[in-house]
Amino acid sequence: MGRVLLRWAMAAGLLLLALWYGSYYTTILAWELRKLFSWIWLPVLLSLPWLARPLLRGRAASAGTAVGVLAGVSVVAGLVLGICWLVFGAYLQDRAYMEHTKTVTEPVPALDARSPYVVGQAQAAPHLGDVTGEIADITYLPDTDRFATLVERRGWLAGYEVGLVQEVPLGSGGRSQQRCPFDVDTADARIGGWFTHNLGRKISAQQRWVRFDADDAYVTCRGDGTPVVVVPLKRQTGVFVVTERPAGLALYDGRTGRLTVTDDTGSVPGASYPLSLAARQREATAAVGSFSDWWFERSGWDASEDGANTGNESEFTLRHRDGTGSAYVTLLTPQGEASSVVAVSTVPTRHRGGSLAPLTVHRLDPTWSSPQAIVALIKAEYRDVCCYNDDRVFEVAPTGGSTWTATIGSAQNIRYRVEGRGRIDGREATCLKAADGALIRCAYAAPGSPEEQELRRREEEKRTAQPPAAQPDTGDLSAYTPEQLADLNRRLSEEIARRLKKS
């Protein structure tokens, strides 16, 4: 009797344990099995005769040889066709991700420059104060032009400690910050946490069959100082070709610990479309041609990865200059050894519904030189400002159909920006500006360009501002004593330095 009760108790305990963990682990299991089935369904189907061999032989012993031959053929066919499906299925998967992709020759919409991602990353730690946690994520919020930093609290059974939203402007002295502490007793869950402190478990308990990428999550601060962790969600679609689609947002309140799953993508100041999904769509452009072109890598584009944009080589989050929103923007090079930028891809950071957001590939004519070549040009043409001590050229980011912007400075202080137009071997404008956009000079200002007109206006202002000064009479220098000549030379050097600083 005691053993029976023990068995029933153990069974009940296992059942309760399965129900407790069910929503989280069954979601993971369902995702992985669905992806696995999409690859193995064909070889399994063709192997059914081999699996049913004992049954067939039992019913028809005289047909044993034929059954054996059929089973062997089915196994070989399953292996061969299974390998073929692994290859062709990957091509079909890329084609499925290209569902809303279009290639155009229209110019890229005008985009606003922003502080480089690595600068926002470097400036987060000094502004955290006495926070003892570890930085888990840094994300650019395009709606407010700020960088958000999410900090994990130390410990296994702990959630997040604080959210920091800071302004990292180009050329402005303002450095507004907002620190939003989490209620570590009430809101004690985080992505990748242990047991009940796992935010993924809470999401699965409320919305099954959806998952997320940890790098897509970020934090925002409400006006009352409440931190909110935003997690863009994804769902699976398809049977034989399985792909992912957006599935709304999970919002985790850092004060109350309340989790809300919503389709209202306009309720957050950051991106609501998963960045990982935008990156997967861009990678799928390799299937823009035929299967043979995809197999031999003769079609599509790769993200420019020549080292110039280390830390953020793809999916730049940039705002549209006309205020209509923001987009993930990537410089594209052709597959192969070529490094010139031939296209720019854009994906909106906000998207309603459960379908893929539209990806637009803007073909460039003329094409651009590589970001690495642009950096080399900046160092050659503006040697007096780049690059000394810790200063370097940061992101070379597209800002329009034929324009790019590169920022110069250190991780703690952006000092200049260089704006270019066209290829670097052409006679178009490449101009040095202060970080706030004030024009300093141009390596070459194309006739009729805004830069050329601005430089002419400045020269005209200099000529009309003051009448030409009369040349002072220095007298006979041979009559000066050595001490007087030394004093004159010192004063002359000081005056030259003063005028250079003014200019």
Side-chain angles (χ1 to χ4, degrees), residues 308-309 312 316 331 368-372 374-375 378 393-398 404-407 418:
N309 289 337
N312 190 26
F316 296 93
L331 300 174
W368 299 358
S369 300
S370 69
Q372 194 172 47
I374 292 173
V375 172
I378 292 172
V393 180
F394 288 103
E395 295 172 349
V396 178
W404 47 262
T405 296
T407 46
V418 175

Side-chain angles (χ1 to χ4, degrees), residues 112-118 120-121 137-149 164-170 215-220 269-272 275 312 315-320 325-328 349 395:
D112 274 334
R114 60 157 174 79
S115 294
Y117 174 81
V118 290
Q121 187 178 36
D137 176 79
I138 296 176
T139 301
Y140 176 68
L141 307 179
D143 288 10
T144 57
D145 191 22
R146 282 167 169 77
F147 285 87
T149 304
L164 171 68
V165 177
Q166 60 176 342
E167 182 185 15
V168 187
L170 274 172
D215 292 336
D216 294 341
Y218 59 91
V219 68
T220 65
S272 60
L275 185 146
N312 190 26
E315 280 72 52
F316 296 93
T317 304
L318 300 173
R319 298 188 299 171
H320 290 292
S326 55
Y328 299 121
T349 61
E395 295 172 349

Side-chain angles (χ1 to χ4, degrees), residues 4-39:
V4 174
L5 292 176
L6 179 61
R7 289 174 182 175
W8 278 104
M10 290 178 62
L14 290 174
L15 179 61
L16 291 175
L17 188 64
L19 293 175
W20 178 260
Y21 289 101
S23 60
Y24 181 58
Y25 288 113
T26 54
T27 296
I28 296 176
L29 183 63
W31 270 63
E32 298 305 321
L33 288 178
R34 189 169 181 175
K35 288 189 292 185
L36 181 63
F37 175 77
S38 68
W39 297 117

Side-chain angles (χ1 to χ4, degrees), residues 150-306:
L150 184 59
V151 180
E152 291 181 352
R153 193 181 184 207
R154 293 175 182 268
W156 290 0
L157 305 179
Y160 296 107
E161 184 171 355
V162 70
L164 171 68
V165 177
Q166 60 176 342
E167 182 185 15
V168 187
L170 274 172
S172 171
R175 289 290 188 274
S176 64
Q177 306 169 27
Q178 185 181 11
R179 289 176 56 181
C180 314
F182 283 74
D183 187 325
V184 297
D185 296 322
T186 305
D188 57 357
R190 73 186 187 204
I191 295 175
W194 289 66
F195 306 112
T196 59
H197 303 273
N198 191 320
L199 185 55
R201 189 188 309 282
K202 295 180 179 295
I203 294 174
S204 296
Q206 186 165 337
Q207 184 75 32
R208 287 202 181 204
W209 320 126
V210 296
R211 296 194 69 188
F212 56 87
D213 193 305
D215 292 336
D216 294 341
Y218 59 91
V219 68
T220 65
C221 291
R222 291 177 182 162
D224 59 356
T226 300
V228 177
V229 179
V230 181
V231 185
L233 303 176
K234 297 184 290 186
R235 61 183 177 87
Q236 283 182 324
T237 183
V239 178
F240 302 120
V241 178
V242 177
T243 56
E244 297 176 352
R245 295 292 188 273
L249 299 172
L251 307 178
Y252 182 60
D253 192 303
R255 291 285 177 84
T256 64
R258 179 184 177 187
L259 180 74
T260 304
V261 177
T262 178
D263 292 328
D264 183 11
T265 58
S267 60
V268 294
S272 60
Y273 191 73
L275 185 146
S276 59
L277 200 52
R280 182 65 183 88
Q281 288 179 256
R282 173 190 41 87
E283 294 168 357
T285 56
V288 69
S290 64
F291 172 75
S292 62
D293 290 335
W294 175 85
W295 175 253
F296 292 105
E297 299 182 352
R298 296 188 302 232
S299 63
W301 303 271
D302 290 325
S304 177
E305 298 178 351
D306 59 5

